[in-house]
Amino acid sequence: MDERKPPGRSTVTRRAILDILRNSMRPLSAIEVHGILRAGGGRQSLSTVYRALDSFTETGLLIKGALEDVAHYQINSAKHTHFAVCTRCKSVVPLKGCPLKPAQVADDGFEVRGHSLEVFGICGRCRGSCNNGFVSPPRAEK
Amino acid sequence: MDERKPPGRSTVTRRAILDILRNSMRPLSAIEVHGILRAGGGRQSLSTVYRALDSFTETGLLIKGALEDVAHYQINSAKHTHFAVCTRCKSVVPLKGCPLKPAQVADDGFEVRGHSLEVFGICGRCRGSCNNGFVSPPRAEK
DNA sequence: CGGTTAACGCAAATCAATTGCGTTAAGTAA
DNA sequence: TTACTTAACGCAATTGATTTGCGTTAACCG
């Protein structure tokens, strides 16, 4: 009883987008989804991807959260994942499990369909001996 | 033991930014902070505000979360607030309290300093008789 | 009271995300 | 099956938040 029927018309592109997210081990940005579509030989436009993702998110099929300041989407299932972001080196590590109990946050008439959570802090590497000059590259620089 | 010393040099602008956030009842976007600064007679540039907010966020003094797709900042205190966003009408309502227990999510060497959480769903107004044609305006249209 | 450099202001540049519009094709009813 | 309505689509242009380069200013330290 986890997944509901996709909303709107069932097109090749929309089905492909959902498949990509179902098979992904992590949340994907619109641009990543678009890249995967194109890598598969598709010629879909980026705006189509954005529109589909928005549509799916609006119905609660997907959940949308900001990862490194860009929107990432994942299937709204019980086994979604959250991430911890190091505010020093910007590295991202997945959390084991979700600390929220399903109906924990419901207020007044609001029907909770999903949530997004990010944790901030200092990763082990950055804390270890406070080496701002890193030993191994935590993340590619811009 | 909630608030730590602001990092970096103490300038008029940086102190003002922190004061604004300390006195705010809700998270503010960089543009809102900038607007408040200017309303107070300041001539600070927007990039200065962004740089200060980033700096404070990096040290854990502030927490940064996406509200309606734009970054909003608030003091990282025990009494921060989270929000529920209606995926249909985009209305935003504050949650009562934070459902996360302080050290609940720590993993390996990661030192948790804050978090951001948003809840998605359908607000009471949108659920009431499923009126997509709203009775009262939930939120200004773009 | 100088020297170093974090902060600043400004303008230009980025880049994710959105939108207008003409076209295509999915879903539905005849 | 065919005709019709309209959601989806592709493309190009635009928006708007956020970032960055660079020359200048002022905070902090000795």
Side-chain angles (χ1 to χ4, degrees):
Chain A
M1 83 253 44
D2 211 34
E3 188 142 334
R4 66 198 82 201
K5 187 172 73 64
R9 291 183 181 173
S10 171
T11 67
V12 177
T13 297
R14 299 185 128 222
R15 282 190 302 268
I17 290 174
L18 285 180
D19 281 341
I20 287 169
L21 287 171
R22 286 199 193 95
N23 294 329
S24 172
M25 292 302 297
R26 61 179 183 82
L28 298 175
S29 70
I31 290 174
E32 287 173 322
V33 170
H34 183 241
I36 295 172
L37 277 174
R38 293 237 164 171
R43 298 216 160 285
Q44 297 83 348
S45 84
L46 186 53
S47 51
T48 296
V49 174
Y50 274 109
R51 282 190 272 237
L53 292 173
D54 279 352
S55 159
F56 296 148
T57 301
E58 189 168 332
T59 63
L61 187 57
L62 300 182
I63 57 182
K64 173 183 183 180
L67 216 47
E68 298 177 54
D69 290 335
V70 305
H72 282 65
Y73 303 81
Q74 63 180 318
I75 299 286
N76 184 12
S77 74
K79 59 173 176 30
H80 57 255
T81 57
H82 299 297
F83 295 86
V85 182
C86 177
T87 55
R88 191 169 297 166
C89 71
K90 311 298 181 198
S91 65
V92 177
V93 303
L95 295 178
K96 301 172 183 50
C98 169
L100 266 89
K101 290 157 196 62
Q104 200 170 24
V105 284
D107 266 4
D108 39 78
F110 199 94
E111 176 191 333
V112 176
R113 290 198 174 173
H115 62 268
S116 110
L117 168 69
E118 288 160 82
V119 172
F120 308 117
I122 309 294
C123 71
R125 172 160 37 203
C126 282
R127 283 178 57 226
S129 61
C130 298
N131 52 335
N132 277 29
F134 303 106
V135 179
S136 72
R139 192 167 105 69
E141 303 291 329
K142 259 192 196 168
Chain B
M1 84 252 44
D2 210 33
E3 188 142 336
R4 67 198 83 202
K5 188 173 71 65
R9 292 183 181 173
S10 171
T11 67
V12 177
T13 297
R14 299 185 129 222
R15 282 191 302 269
I17 290 174
L18 285 180
D19 281 340
I20 287 170
L21 287 171
R22 287 199 192 94
N23 295 328
S24 173
M25 292 303 296
R26 60 179 184 84
L28 299 175
S29 70
I31 290 174
E32 287 174 321
V33 171
H34 183 242
I36 295 173
L37 278 174
R38 294 236 164 171
R43 298 216 160 282
Q44 298 84 347
S45 84
L46 187 51
S47 50
T48 295
V49 174
Y50 274 108
R51 283 190 271 236
L53 291 173
D54 279 352
S55 159
F56 295 149
T57 301
E58 188 170 332
T59 62
L61 187 58
L62 300 182
I63 56 181
K64 173 184 183 180
L67 215 47
E68 299 177 52
D69 289 335
V70 304
H72 282 64
Y73 303 80
Q74 63 180 315
I75 298 285
N76 183 14
S77 74
K79 59 174 176 27
H80 58 255
T81 57
H82 300 297
F83 295 86
V85 182
C86 176
T87 55
R88 191 169 297 166
C89 72
K90 312 297 183 201
S91 64
V92 177
V93 302
L95 296 178
K96 301 173 184 48
C98 169
L100 266 92
K101 290 157 196 64
Q104 199 169 25
V105 284
D107 265 4
D108 39 78
F110 198 94
E111 177 191 332
V112 176
R113 291 198 175 173
H115 63 268
S116 113
L117 167 71
E118 289 160 82
V119 172
F120 308 115
I122 308 295
C123 71
R125 174 161 37 205
C126 282
R127 284 178 57 228
S129 62
C130 297
N131 51 335
N132 278 30
F134 302 106
V135 179
S136 72
R139 192 168 104 72
E141 302 293 330
K142 261 195 197 168

